[in-house]
Amino acid sequence: MRTLPRVRFTFAQLRALEAVARNASFTRAAEELHLAQPTISIQVKELADCFGVPLLDVSGRRVRPTQAGAEVLATARRVFEEIADLDMRLAELQGVRRGRLRIAAVTTAEYFIPDLLGPFARHYPEIEVTLAVENRDRVVARLEANADDLYVMMMPPAGDHLVAVPFLENPLVPVADIDHPLAGKEGIPVARLARERFVLREAGSGTRMACEEFFREHGLNPEVKLELGSNEAVKHAVAAGLGIAILSAHTLGIQHEQAGLTVLDVRGFPIKRYWYVVRPAERVLTPVARAFLEFVRSIETSGEPQGDHTPRRREPRAPRAAAGGT
Ligand code: PGA
């Protein structure tokens, strides 16, 4: 084994650099790591001082790694992977009873993921669960950086390098304010809907991507009135009469009419989509992640979601003894 040079940097500094590079932002990295932004800046600066070269280029509007930064990042990611492997080997030794489960889910999944995690966590009280909630683009970035055990999203990226298991229907529905002239009308043609103004999620959202695909497939180019960064903001804008939105039915509670919203009866809707649990094909799952996957698979994926759009589920079953095959 080669002798180690005297290491003067810390794991926390590497983690800060990785989070800033992946999010292309100090602010987002600070949010993700639950640290103050100046702390992150100092950690990255100290790391750069250690190597004697700048690691990030912050001259443009986006933060990008320099060539030296890319080298440090590549090594940092290898170190993180080794540590994740070690974590897994130690978890194997302890079985499924203890350990950690890191999940990253898209923002729209926040309406039902806690309902899944609740019974799972009750069944395995000693398992520590961390849930990161971001929009699709950022969840995909986490997936590419191999930052978590499992990822929940509606639009998994294509490719053989991923395994995506569908587990629940995710109908997308057109939503309008309750006093909208189209409210209560039956069989509205899509072309009529396309004459309305739309409130869309931000670029990078999977919901937005699915809406754009739908319009493209129907040769439509509707007017976009507003772009907003969360489902709740979109719902408020729709209720205020600012336009129509296409949203996952999971974002609407059974009480949505009380919030001033109604689902329009438009031909071709709901757009049928699914929720998937995604992971890199090469990643060996920890016993805990396997148990969670098993639990998620026990959810019925057929039929329309029930009234409150909460996934029907059974209590987690004891995980299969054999490793792999998930
Ligand atoms: P998002 O989620 O619109 O919150 O990004 C949907 C998805 O990407 O699956």
Side-chain angles (χ1 to χ4, degrees):
M1 197 182 108
R2 272 161 49 195
T3 13
L4 265 183
R6 233 182 108 236
V7 177
R8 287 154 299 142
F9 54 86
T10 65
F11 189 77
Q13 290 165 349
L14 290 179
R15 211 172 47 156
L17 175 72
E18 196 281 327
V20 173
R22 176 164 37 81
N23 288 294
S25 151
F26 281 86
T27 316
R28 292 205 55 83
E31 277 167 20
E32 181 182 307
L33 299 176
H34 305 294
L35 292 170
Q37 192 184 318
T39 311
I40 295 283
S41 307
I42 290 168
Q43 285 177 336
V44 173
K45 183 177 176 316
E46 285 173 349
L47 188 60
D49 290 349
C50 218
F51 292 111
V53 275
L55 302 175
L56 293 173
D57 176 4
V58 283
S59 54
R61 278 190 61 224
R62 281 174 69 86
V63 184
R64 289 168 198 281
T66 59
Q67 208 179 340
E71 291 292 336
V72 175
L73 272 170
T75 302
R77 285 181 178 141
R78 281 203 298 276
V79 169
F80 298 152
E81 266 172 42
E82 282 297 319
I83 288 173
D85 273 0
L86 172 67
D87 213 25
M88 202 204 62
R89 290 198 301 275
L90 296 182
E92 285 288 354
L93 290 178
Q94 303 199 65
V96 79
R97 219 161 44 79
R98 280 165 187 271
R100 215 173 330 139
L101 175 65
R102 282 161 302 201
I103 300 181
V106 290
T107 31
T108 305
E110 72 187 341
Y111 293 89
F112 65 86
I113 280 282
D115 288 322
L116 293 182
L117 288 176
F120 183 77
R122 271 199 299 282
H123 197 81
Y124 299 111
E126 287 181 79
I127 290 176
E128 194 190 307
V129 182
T130 342
L131 171 67
V133 179
E134 316 246 24
N135 76 9
R136 178 184 182 274
D137 264 11
R138 288 196 280 265
V139 170
V140 170
R142 293 181 76 103
L143 171 65
E144 276 159 12
N146 214 349
D148 310 87
D149 297 308
L150 297 169
Y151 306 82
V152 177
M153 64 183 94
M154 164 178 67
M155 316 265 289
D160 294 344
H161 62 300
L162 298 177
V163 179
V165 181
F167 68 96
L168 185 70
E169 279 198 1
N170 180 23
L172 302 181
V173 293
V175 184
D177 73 283
I178 207 152
D179 297 322
H180 193 279
L182 294 178
K185 293 234 157 56
E186 285 180 13
I188 303 162
V190 177
R192 170 66 192 86
L193 182 74
R195 293 213 298 275
E196 295 295 317
R197 285 175 312 186
F198 279 78
V199 181
L200 289 188
R201 284 280 308 277
E202 78 286 2
S205 137
T207 308
R208 157 90 173 241
M209 220 170 142
C211 290
E212 287 177 342
E213 263 179 31
F214 179 84
F215 291 137
R216 243 192 334 269
E217 277 164 17
H218 287 78
L220 305 170
N221 190 14
E223 183 193 341
V224 177
K225 171 82 180 160
L226 263 182
E227 282 189 20
L228 296 169
S230 80
N231 290 310
E232 288 304 305
V234 169
K235 279 160 59 183
H236 281 288
V238 171
L242 292 173
I244 299 226
I246 295 173
L247 291 174
S248 160
H250 292 281
T251 65
L252 305 171
I254 31 176
Q255 314 275 22
H256 62 268
E257 302 240 330
Q258 279 172 24
L261 298 170
T262 187
V263 174
L264 297 178
D265 179 9
V266 181
R267 285 184 222 148
F269 280 89
I271 305 174
K272 282 205 171 188
R273 295 274 178 181
Y274 281 87
W275 289 114
Y276 294 84
V277 180
V278 185
R279 66 179 198 274
E282 288 193 345
R283 185 169 180 130
V284 184
L285 290 178
T286 63
V288 175
R290 278 206 302 273
F292 184 72
L293 203 55
E294 177 101 352
F295 170 55
V296 160
R297 279 177 168 170
S298 73
I299 292 167
E300 294 174 37
T301 53
S302 57
E304 298 299 321
Q306 298 306 285
D308 62 355
H309 307 302
T310 303
R312 283 172 279 168
R313 59 175 183 262
R314 299 200 288 268
E315 283 296 306
R317 286 176 296 183
R320 276 188 235 115
T326 45

